[in-house]
Amino acid sequence: MKINIVENTVLDLVMKDLPAESESEFKQSDSLDKAKSKFSINVEFEEESFFVTFNLKLATADGKGIIVSFKSKFVTDMPIDEDFKKSAFPYVNAPAISYPYLRVFISNLTLNSGYDPVMLPSINFVALKDKTMRRNKSLES
């Protein structure tokens, strides 16, 4: 099966001053930086395409809050079957392919907005695979 990433889209974006008391809403166990972010991944399937969506809440060192939903579309040359949906590719490889686009978007957004650029850290998507698969199944129910 051939798989290509064909599109990246920002679905939602909020950037605002963040009062100190609001930073607690950015703290969660799935964080990129345990003190200042909240991060999740969702995977959706269609017949010959699938989507990886990153939801990120981030508190910057400049006191800004960034909330972004970033979606990548992948297309296949064959219909997606149940074996593919249960494989590691949509939960590990596809997020690893699309995450650099989110990283560069956040870095450019903060830099071009006049703030210190935020460079999101690398992520071990293998470690997040089971949680992402469980989240995906709960969304389908």
Side-chain angles (χ1 to χ4, degrees), residues 25-69:
E25 76 179 270
F26 291 81
K27 296 178 184 176
Q28 189 175 347
S29 59
D30 277 356
S31 75
L32 299 171
D33 169 350
K34 298 278 186 219
K36 297 187 179 183
S37 67
K38 180 179 172 182
F39 180 76
S40 68
I41 306 166
N42 297 318
V43 180
E44 302 167 69
F45 297 97
E46 292 184 350
E47 188 175 334
E48 290 186 9
S49 62
F50 66 98
F51 303 88
V52 174
T53 304
F54 297 103
N55 296 297
L56 172 67
K57 281 186 168 185
L58 176 69
T60 71
D62 294 327
K64 297 292 177 199
I66 299 172
I67 303 169
V68 65
S69 181

Side-chain angles (χ1 to χ4, degrees), residues 4-129:
N4 292 308
I5 188 170
V6 295
E7 184 177 289
N8 293 296
T9 307
V10 175
L11 302 176
D12 294 304
L13 174 64
V14 175
M15 187 170 177
K16 61 183 180 179
D17 286 328
L18 189 62
E21 63 272 7
S22 297
E23 284 192 16
S24 63
E25 76 179 270
F26 291 81
K27 296 178 184 176
Q28 189 175 347
S29 59
D30 277 356
S31 75
L32 299 171
D33 169 350
K34 298 278 186 219
K36 297 187 179 183
S37 67
K38 180 179 172 182
F39 180 76
S40 68
I41 306 166
N42 297 318
V43 180
E44 302 167 69
F45 297 97
E46 292 184 350
E47 188 175 334
E48 290 186 9
S49 62
F50 66 98
F51 303 88
V52 174
T53 304
F54 297 103
N55 296 297
L56 172 67
K57 281 186 168 185
L58 176 69
T60 71
D62 294 327
K64 297 292 177 199
I66 299 172
I67 303 169
V68 65
S69 181
F70 186 91
K71 188 174 196 174
S72 296
K73 179 179 182 179
F74 291 82
V75 295
T76 62
D77 64 345
M78 303 169 59
I80 294 174
D81 60 14
E82 289 303 313
D83 288 338
F84 180 79
K85 290 178 182 179
K86 294 176 184 174
S87 73
F89 191 90
Y91 305 100
V92 177
N93 302 72
I97 291 166
S98 59
Y99 181 68
Y101 294 97
L102 172 62
R103 286 182 80 193
V104 110
F105 173 75
I106 294 296
S107 180
N108 286 336
L109 172 71
T110 52
L111 179 65
N112 290 330
S113 297
Y115 302 104
D116 290 336
V118 172
M119 193 59 162
L120 299 177
S122 298
I123 293 180
N124 181 348
F125 290 103
V126 173
L128 292 176
K129 176 186 169 216

